[in-house]
């Protein structure tokens, strides 16, 4: 299939999205910057697309299929409900949120998240949802957030399996799916009941376990991975080993033989559940203290949210002052005063008795597992040992310098961070300037840094508006590749154009040329006007270069905490789906620029989300480790290091005292890759032994 994307601005601004776009184009997807004005049906039932390309030329092409990427808006019912309960709605029709929290509505105690606050992707919505939990935790005490639930002691597992087959049918599923699951499982040996679960999965499952006295579960639904935690919670809170279950993915059933596929999958689930052996569980004490590394906006907000939930926090900052990059930012994208907000946050953190701030301090070593970490911190010439249950990494990132565009050679060529600082220190400079130029994507979206720095388009447009308000005589030019004022920030782009800011597009093949008389006097910028297709010359008083934001010391921190970096050197998210604030190591959470460049509002939201996840662990007195984890049989290990190289979470290591590989049950994610790869079959998955894999098919075939 030949695919073409017609676009106006390519807004691949989030973590990993620019790389995704580059992969698409290198796989042959055509991108055409254009404006489509008409789509006609042709005589042979194809579609004729008529558009104007970026040179202003009229073009037409024929396609078999056209997909319209339509805009998003909140549902009328949701907006109406919001208005009825007295929430402020912004001019785009979304719920208005507050300056210091992108999830707090205009009414105290009412929070909003997801598509009702702005157009959000899945990860953004999940992050906002966790941030809401954090906000609620800060005042809803003592339950349910301060104390972890207590589980009954584990019942001895009956040798005779009693299997509860539970399914959940989502909207849009085959209406007969329930009947089919029942038909497949009802008469199988060991099955005590086949039940449909309602929307309260946890409550329904617990009730059914109680009623049927089942000791194993087969859970069938369209996204079993997402619901595993609920099934485990239901089993554990019913006094059963939480790993005595199998899942059946109903989403993958399809095509011609979907009836028999469903039957096979359900019956295989029952067969495997029959031969499950309960894995041993071990309890470790949870140290009810958090370590937050990085005292910028995100680090401080995470620390404060955790402290407000009642837990002690050690906040480590490597410089002599809290605030990080926010110290140089005048306003946020909405034009609100960032410095006031920052000062208030620093004061609140300083006064909070539960937060201990260590300035001029650096992390040196870390060991342990979720709930049970020990970290060595160096401050001046002393080393401090800290025991903590969770870690939040908020170590920030730095604006890069450049050798392009006379940077470092001419006094009036600034990076965006320097311009921001100058706005705070010397506003009169801008009151006396007549022309300003902003050059976008300096060092971002280039082969060395093939990612978008995410917030610099919004920064340039916001600053242009502010400068023109400060000095209405000033003319501002923004030289860009794509304008990425995403979501609600689009209104700034509109406002800037209405205010007279001139936007000039450039290609990397013909970047703007910056010169200066005698190298240090009057600046001159030459660019090609993409509409007139001829060179234009601007004589600015100053130039702001929107240089890339790059990770700062992340490699060292990643090494110490055993977390992964992504291809761009930022902290990688957990490879498990939909865990946007979790690192690749359990119990270690991510916030702020160290995860990916973002503006202050998104940093605060992510910081609150990380705090909510951290408190999930801190509120428990003990943590059970073990379960679906891999275990090395030392006598069989040949110390070939295959598992060390294979594990995506970097868990196995060679224990030289034992002369064999070791897998920490508190850290193993149970993906099974090392089990499959170990050439000596020295690793087993406790719940999924080779014996079980042999016995289950025999059971299905009726062979004893
Ligand atoms: S892959 Fe197997 S044999 Fe090799 S080190 Fe790991 S456990 Fe030992
Ligand atoms: S099961 Fe997966 S997470 Fe656990 S040690 Fe093996 S490869 Fe790593």
């Amino acid at each position: 299939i030949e695919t073409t994307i017609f676009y106006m601005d390519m807004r691949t601004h989030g973590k990993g999205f620019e790389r995704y776009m580059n992969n698409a184009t290198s796989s042959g997807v055509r991108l055409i910057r254009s404006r489509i004005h008409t789509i006609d049906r042709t005589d042979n039932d194809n579609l004729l697309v008529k558009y104007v390309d970026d040179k202003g030329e009229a073009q037409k092409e024929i396609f078999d299929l056209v997909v319209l990427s339509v805009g998003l808006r909140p549902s009328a019912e949701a907006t109406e409900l919001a208005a009825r309960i007295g929430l402020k709605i912004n001019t785009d029709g979304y719920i208005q949120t507050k300056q210091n929290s992108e999830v707090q509505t205009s009414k105290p105690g009412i929070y909003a998240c997801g598509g009702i606050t702005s157009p959000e992707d899945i990860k953004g919505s999940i992050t906002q949802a966790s941030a809401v939990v954090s906000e609620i935790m800060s005042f809803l005490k003592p339950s349910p957030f301060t104390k972890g639930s207590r589980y009954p002691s584990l019942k001895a597992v009956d040798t005779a399996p009693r299997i509860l087959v539970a399914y959940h049918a989502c909207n849009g599923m085959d209406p007969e799916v329930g009947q089919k699951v029942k038909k497949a499982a009802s008469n199988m040996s060991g099955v005590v009941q086949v039940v449909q679960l309602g929307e309260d999965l946890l409550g329904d499952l617990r009730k059914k376990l109680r009623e049927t006295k089942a000791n194993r579960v087969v859970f069938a639904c369209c996204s079993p991975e997402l619901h595993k935690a609920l099934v485990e919670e239901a089993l554990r809170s019913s006094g059963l080993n939480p790993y005595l279950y199998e899942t059946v993915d109903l989403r993958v059933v399809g095509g011609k033989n979907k009836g028999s596929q469903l039957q096979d999958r359900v019956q295989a689930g029952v067969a495997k559940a029959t031969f499950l052996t309960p894995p041993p569980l071990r309890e470790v004490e949870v140290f009810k203290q958090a370590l937050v590394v990085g005292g910028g906006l995100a680090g401080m907000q995470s620390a404060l949210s955790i402290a407000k939930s009642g837990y002690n926090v050690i906040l480590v900052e490597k410089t002599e002052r809290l605030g990080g990059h926010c110290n140089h930012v005048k306003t946020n994208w909405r034009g609100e005063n960032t410095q006031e907000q920052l000062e208030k946050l620093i004061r609140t953190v300083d006064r909070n008795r539960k937060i201990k701030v260590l300035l001029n301090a650096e992390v040196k070593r870390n060991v342990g597992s979720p709930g049970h970490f020990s970290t060595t911190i160096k401050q001046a010439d002393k080393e401090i040992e800290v025991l903590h249950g969770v870690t939040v990494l908020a170590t920030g990132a730095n604006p890069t310098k450049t050798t392009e565009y006379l940077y470092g050679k001419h006094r009036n060529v600034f990076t965006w961070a320097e311009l921001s600082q100058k706005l705070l220190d010397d506003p009169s400079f801008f009151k006396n300037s007549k022309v300003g130029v902003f050059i976008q994507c300096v060092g971002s979206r280039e082969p060395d840094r093939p990612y978008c720095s995410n917030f610099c388009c919004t920064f340039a447009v916001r600053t242009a508006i502010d400068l023109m308000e400060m000095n209405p005589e000033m003319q501002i030019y923004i030289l860009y590749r794509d304008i990425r004022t995403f979501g609600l920030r689009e209104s700034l782009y509109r406002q800037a154009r209405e205010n007279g800011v001139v936007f000039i597009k450039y290609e990397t093949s013909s970047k703007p040329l910056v010169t200066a008389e005698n190298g240090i006097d009057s600046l001159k910028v030459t660019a090609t006007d993409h509409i007139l297709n001829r060179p234009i010359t601007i004589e600015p008083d100053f130039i702001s270069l929107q240089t890339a934001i790059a990770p700062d010391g992340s490699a060292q921190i990643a090494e110490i905490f055993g977390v992964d970096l992504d291809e761009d050197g930022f902290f990688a998210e957990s490879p498990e789906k939909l865990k946007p604030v979790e690192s690749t190591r359990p119990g270690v959470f991510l916030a702020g620029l160290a995860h990916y460049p973002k503006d202050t509002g998104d940093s605060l939201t992510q910081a609150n989300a990380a705090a909510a996840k951290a408190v999930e662990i801190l509120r428990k007195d003990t943590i059970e480790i073990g379960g679906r984890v891999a275990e090395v049989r030392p006598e069989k290990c040949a110390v070939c290091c295959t598992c060390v190289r294979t594990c995506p979470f970097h868990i196995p290591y060679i224990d030289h005292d034992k002369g064999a590989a070791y897998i920490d049950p508190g850290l193993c994610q149970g993906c099974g890759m090392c089990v499959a790869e170990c050439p000596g079959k020295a690793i087993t998955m406790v719940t999924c032994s080779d014996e079980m894999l042999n016995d289950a098919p025999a059971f299905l075939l009726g062979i004893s």
Side-chain angles (χ1 to χ4, degrees), residues 6-58:
F6 293 93
Y7 72 102
M8 284 160 63
D9 276 308
M10 184 49 69
R11 292 190 165 173
T12 43
H13 61 87
K15 187 175 172 90
F17 291 166
E18 184 80 6
R19 201 175 289 276
Y20 193 77
M21 182 195 73
N22 291 338
N23 288 345
T25 49
S26 50
S27 313
V29 174
R30 267 190 322 151
L31 301 181
I32 300 182
R33 190 178 150 85
S34 57
R35 281 167 193 260
I36 293 177
H37 54 83
T38 311
I39 300 178
D40 287 331
R41 180 175 287 192
T42 64
D43 291 343
N44 53 358
D45 213 20
N46 282 328
L47 294 157
L48 179 68
V49 174
K50 297 179 185 169
Y51 62 94
V52 177
D53 68 16
D54 60 351
K55 307 250 171 346
E57 310 269 325

Side-chain angles (χ1 to χ4, degrees), residues 632 636-644 654 660-661 674 677-680 682-683:
V632 178
K636 287 194 157 193
C637 173
V639 199
C640 68
C641 292
T642 304
C643 54
V644 178
I654 303 300
C674 60
E677 290 296 318
C678 174
I683 312 179

Side-chain angles (χ1 to χ4, degrees), residues 198-214:
E199 289 316 308
D200 178 11
L201 288 181
L202 180 59
D204 285 2
L205 199 49
R206 273 190 193 137
K207 188 164 163 251
K208 286 294 166 191
L209 281 167
R210 210 169 37 240
E211 285 171 8
T212 59
K213 297 196 169 40

Side-chain angles (χ1 to χ4, degrees), residues 11 66 104 297 349 424 461 531 560 680:
R11 292 190 165 173
V66 171
Q104 229 177 73
L297 189 75
V349 165
L424 290 167
V461 175
I531 296 172
I560 292 170

